[in-house]
Amino acid sequence: MSCDVVDAAMGRPVGGSEYTWCRAVPGGTGIAVLAFLLSKPPLLSRLQTALHKLQNTHPILNSTLHFNPNASSFSFLTSPATPSLVVQSFDLSATSTLLVSGHDSAVSPFHQILEHHLNHDSWGHLHLSHTNVPVLFASIYELPDETWAVVLRLHVAACDRTTAASLLRELLPLTMEEDEGGEGRKKECSELSMAIEELMPSGEGKKGVWARGMDILAYSLNSVRLTNLKFEDTKSRRRSQVVRLQLNKNETDRVLAGCRKRGIKLCGALTAAGLMAAHGGKKSGKKYGVVTLIDCRSNLHPPLSSRDFGFYHSAILNTHEMEGGEDSLWDVAERAYEALSNSKKSNKHLSDMADLNLLMRKAMDNPGLTSSSSLRTSIMSVFEDTVIDNVDDGGGEMQREVGLEDFVGCASVHGVGPSIAMFDTIRNGHLDCVSVYPSPLHSRQQMQQFVASMKAILIHGGQL
């Protein structure tokens, strides 16, 4: 349907996966951040108008989260009123209060602002208040060296990685439009998106009580046997930090060619590089857990597109045993990808969704069930599909017009989650993996070394 704004107030209870994220965010996992580094000062009014248009087009971005203490439940609520999002703006003096003097020179001001937002929880006290909290916040920061950062912070229950990538593609053209008075031009809009559980094909997500119980027991028993990265500080308060794994175009082409030759996706190579970096030179066999996140939109009924905003990913947890041998990147990658493919063929990304949500919530409620009470559920997480962002596809002129120098999209993981979460993008032919980890459970130096090892393994594998 075509309309200026949603016709009537709408709302719905959160689904099972969304509820898990509502529980996870107060602990530090599930704060999504999209950060843009600009060489030109952004126009606040134009950015705010563009975001309002997106909220009119995608009502879930215009929604608030509401907690009902009587039922201990969460709901999305959206209003027919004009979006009320206000973009906050910080000049250089205000920004400087967030920048740490004497910080590691490798951590730029833009990087520091990104990490600040990964650890800025606007929803943690939702259950203590009687107000509704928006799912979307936006800020502009003036940085040193005449650069600016635009940051969008979203609740993951309303924004998976596909939503984040689509949001970027839709936002850039809107920021190029002249400000409009009144209500603006008409936009295509839809009803508040449904939860993934409501769109599951008939029978796909259902299990008998016995089968579900056995699967949960198997997941629980296997998880305590998994090997973790070395924990450096298990006591101090945690926060999410970021390191990046980047390959040049030639290196990226070689790795992608290796994947194509073997009929696997890039996630297989990233998984293998992570497993090999973790196992290092160990002579004995060790088991590691890897979570692969899968966009289920095409599997739902009716199928959804990338323009259907919300959280529509599921997870598959596979266990991989690494021996002390001399396996190559591609040996490990093919085994890892085969395990993922077999799990998908068995529909585990749909049938085990409720099981993994339950285990995630149990870990949050009982940290002692995890190694050293670390809340680590796996050694790493990857996405089945890589985000492709090519300037030559038509976005280059717009990116140059707004002065876009860099872009990062990721989510916090310092509550329950993996030791390292990989958010991979191929931008203009270059592989860029934003790697998020819980600090000080793992130190920046430790994770920089881990990522450097992964990079070396990928480069070497690409030459074979």
Side-chain angles (χ1 to χ4, degrees), residues 33 153 276 285 300 356:
V33 176
R153 188 173 73 257
M276 294 172 72
L300 302 180
L356 292 176

Side-chain angles (χ1 to χ4, degrees), residues 373-402:
S373 298
S374 65
L375 290 174
R376 293 312 99 195
T377 56
S378 62
I379 196 167
M380 67 185 297
S381 66
V382 297
F383 287 87
E384 180 192 19
D385 295 311
T386 302
V387 171
I388 308 296
D389 179 20
N390 289 326
V391 166
D392 294 337
D393 290 342
E397 183 177 347
M398 288 183 289
Q399 292 183 13
R400 288 187 288 271
E401 182 68 24
V402 300

Side-chain angles (χ1 to χ4, degrees), residues 74-356:
F74 294 88
S75 298
F76 285 118
L77 301 178
T78 189
S79 168
T82 302
S84 58
L85 171 70
V86 175
V87 178
Q88 293 185 300
S89 182
F90 301 88
D91 61 18
L92 187 57
S93 176
T95 301
S96 65
T97 63
L98 301 177
L99 304 180
V100 180
S101 59
H103 210 290
D104 185 341
S105 59
V107 182
S108 67
F110 176 64
H111 191 142
Q112 291 186 53
I113 293 296
L114 168 67
E115 290 185 353
H116 167 74
H117 277 272
L118 283 172
N119 297 284
H120 187 164
D121 176 17
S122 300
W123 305 277
H125 299 291
L126 181 64
H127 65 289
L128 299 177
S129 67
H130 297 284
T131 59
N132 302 325
V133 183
V135 301
L136 169 64
F137 296 86
S139 306
I140 296 173
Y141 295 89
E142 183 180 0
L143 303 178
D145 303 322
E146 297 185 344
T147 56
W148 290 262
V150 172
V151 183
L152 307 182
R153 188 173 73 257
L154 302 100
H155 197 291
V156 165
C159 178
D160 61 12
R161 197 174 66 145
T162 300
T163 294
S166 296
L167 195 162
L168 169 63
R169 285 192 290 268
E170 293 187 28
L171 179 61
L172 277 179
L174 292 175
T175 60
M176 303 295 297
E177 298 178 357
E178 295 295 332
D179 293 347
E180 298 171 344
E183 294 182 350
R185 63 184 175 87
K186 289 188 176 183
K187 298 292 291 183
E188 186 80 12
C189 71
S190 60
E191 296 180 353
L192 188 65
S193 53
M194 298 173 70
I196 186 172
E197 290 82 4
E198 298 177 78
L199 299 171
M200 296 271 278
S202 178
E204 290 290 355
K206 294 182 178 180
K207 280 186 188 178
V209 174
W210 177 253
R212 187 172 302 283
M214 291 300 292
D215 284 346
I216 291 176
L217 180 62
Y219 277 126
S220 300
L221 291 176
N222 287 335
S223 66
V224 299
R225 299 169 182 160
L226 298 178
T227 305
N228 292 284
L229 291 181
K230 179 184 176 182
F231 300 139
E232 299 208 351
D233 181 349
T234 61
K235 303 298 183 183
S236 301
R237 184 175 179 179
R238 292 170 200 157
R239 63 192 313 270
S240 288
Q241 291 185 336
V242 174
V243 293
R244 292 172 83 168
L245 187 165
Q246 296 174 307
L247 301 184
N248 64 34
K249 190 175 187 305
N250 186 45
E251 293 162 346
T252 302
D253 286 343
R254 288 178 175 176
V255 172
L256 294 178
C259 291
R260 287 193 297 271
K261 178 180 178 181
R262 294 161 179 86
I264 67 176
K265 295 184 178 181
L266 179 60
C267 64
L270 292 176
T271 297
L275 291 171
M276 294 172 72
H279 196 64
K282 296 183 181 72
K283 300 300 183 183
S284 59
K286 300 288 184 181
K287 290 185 177 181
Y288 301 88
V290 176
V291 169
T292 305
L293 295 161
I294 297 167
D295 186 351
C296 293
R297 284 171 171 79
S298 63
N299 303 118
L300 302 180
H301 182 73
L304 302 182
S305 75
S306 60
R307 293 197 72 249
D308 291 294
F309 284 17
F311 188 87
Y312 296 106
H313 275 63
S314 65
I316 288 178
L317 173 61
N318 286 121
T319 299
H320 303 282
E321 185 163 4
M322 298 292 290
E323 301 291 345
E326 297 297 325
D327 284 339
S328 72
L329 169 73
W330 300 114
D331 290 333
V332 181
E334 287 182 297
R335 290 202 305 269
Y337 192 74
E338 182 181 13
L340 173 65
S341 297
N342 289 338
S343 294
K344 281 195 69 179
K345 289 175 184 175
S346 300
N347 281 327
K348 282 186 171 292
H349 56 306
L350 301 177
S351 64
D352 288 11
M353 188 184 301
D355 301 346
L356 292 176

